[in-house]
Amino acid sequence: MINFNQKINYQRYASKKREVLSDKYSIVRCFESDRGRIINSAAIRRLQQKTQVFPLERNSVVRTRLTHSMEVQQVGRYIVKEIVNRLGKTGQLKKYGLDNCVMAIESLVEMACLMHDIGNPPFGHFGEAAINQWFHLRLGLENDTIYPALKVHTNDDDEIKKLKTEIRQDLANFEGNAQAIRLVHSILRLNLTYSQIASILKYSKPAYWSDSIPPEFSYLMKKPGYYLSEEPFVKALSKQLDIKQFHRYPLTYIMEAADDISYCIADLEDAVEKKILTVKQLYTYLAEAWGPFKKGDLFDLVVNRPYENLKQNEFNAIGIDQFFMYLRVNAISKLVPHAAERFIENIEAIYHGSFNHALLEDHSTEYKLLNIFKAVGFEHVFNHESVENIELQGYRIISGLLDIYSPLLTMPTDDFLKLVDNEYHKHYPIETRLYHKLSSKHCAAYKQAISKLNSNEANFACMEFYYRCRLLQDYISGMTDHFAYDEYRKLMVTF
């Protein structure tokens, strides 16, 4: 049975009292509280200084992660409205338990879209790659590790061996989506509703996972979705929302589709703004990727007609702006109804979270259009020399910062805890100064995690080291592009 009302959970993990609300507006008020917590959070403000594709960009017209997320938010809201409209016309809103929770769902999707990138490190996917390679070289399971706390000894019992293996795997699999869950729950402690956090839980694989992935979850477990540190919370969330193992919350599919629709066109527009491509080149690449088209087909309606208008305007600046406006409007007007149609067609699997595909992924011309936007972006934008040079710089900056802060990881457990307690250790002057540079919010998250451990248990040293590594990952991944760049130059004494 499908009843979306049962998936709208306004309870909060850190709230001692479980509220019981009877009227519809009181429930809406809970999600309005989520909106306020999210919009006013530091994580959202930092998005304005993280770029979508072009790191260290000074041109304010080129999208930041914040402006991109606002665009995703609008598309997500539109998809919800399209779904509701279609189900309303066929009299099925009540059948699926949607008649009393439309406002809540709209708010949940909008805020999920706004938050979807908050866990991404500086320099985007190259920042992720830098963090992962740095930790993989030191903690990867195929090599021995230099860190005593995670060395596997013959006298370790099976439980400790398993834990050390999971920790090493977990730390070598940093992922922006998993970091977003950690950010809202463990670092900022926004105490959002279960439904709101579930809406950004994009993948169902724990970061420590090393077994083969079941075929029926190949897409849902494509990437790590959460860390070992947040596993107890994710289990509590899944129980509250009746999400089975490796399944997904239904509204996440909408957030993901909105992101797919938004970024593929935005990246191409930004590339033209930066003069990586001309509009003529862009049109040529899109037409070649699509193949032969005829009057009235999807490519003609979405791409060709705006381009013909641009040619009549002789490619002037206003005409180029108009071209991208209509390209975007036309694409959204076709892709959003298709996303809504796919949601309704697969509503049972989506409701239960077992739908093992992206919402837009099918054999339609709409999906073909989406793919040619992505393919042209990948081939002619992301692989452009200027973009790759900046990404390589970003890779070096993140790796260099981890090298600079790595002395904190070589300290023995007792000495590091003493440094944390006293904010000073006379035998570790360099480490003391490095610790002072860490963000107080990230240090507070570390202290809270350590306070829940039992120092007399056999797993204390490896769990302490785990949270110490998380402290460094939290700090560096939370930097903006320019802050990371400036910090690296400052500490490398580069002028």
Side-chain angles (χ1 to χ4, degrees), residues 70-93:
M70 291 168 66
E71 292 171 354
V72 177
Q73 181 181 349
Q74 184 270 326
V75 176
R77 180 172 175 265
Y78 187 3
I79 295 173
V80 172
K81 286 184 177 295
E82 189 72 24
I83 292 168
V84 170
N85 179 59
R86 287 172 179 239
L87 290 175
K89 282 183 174 179
T90 56
Q92 295 183 90
L93 282 176

Side-chain angles (χ1 to χ4, degrees), residues 119-181:
N120 286 355
F123 310 105
H125 294 302
F126 258 70
E128 279 183 348
I131 294 171
N132 281 330
Q133 187 179 64
W134 196 93
F135 278 91
H136 186 81
L137 288 171
R138 290 155 181 79
L139 296 174
L141 298 178
E142 64 274 15
N143 302 313
D144 198 8
T145 179
I146 62 168
Y147 301 116
L150 295 184
K151 282 182 178 287
V152 177
H153 303 290
T154 52
N155 61 339
D156 286 341
D157 62 35
D158 290 344
E159 191 174 327
I160 292 294
K161 287 179 182 176
K162 180 175 179 286
L163 178 61
K164 289 180 177 179
T165 300
E166 288 184 348
I167 285 174
R168 289 170 65 171
Q169 183 80 356
D170 195 84
L171 291 169
N173 279 286
F174 178 90
E175 217 283 329
N177 293 290
Q179 187 67 19
I181 300 298

Side-chain angles (χ1 to χ4, degrees), residues 56 187 218 257 306 383 389 405 418 432 472:
L56 303 176
I187 299 171
S218 58
N383 290 335
N389 285 341
Y405 283 92
K418 185 176 180 181
T432 296
L472 288 198

Side-chain angles (χ1 to χ4, degrees), residues 3 28 99 336 363 384 429:
N3 184 356
V28 169
D99 50 329
V336 164
H363 301 290
H384 192 270

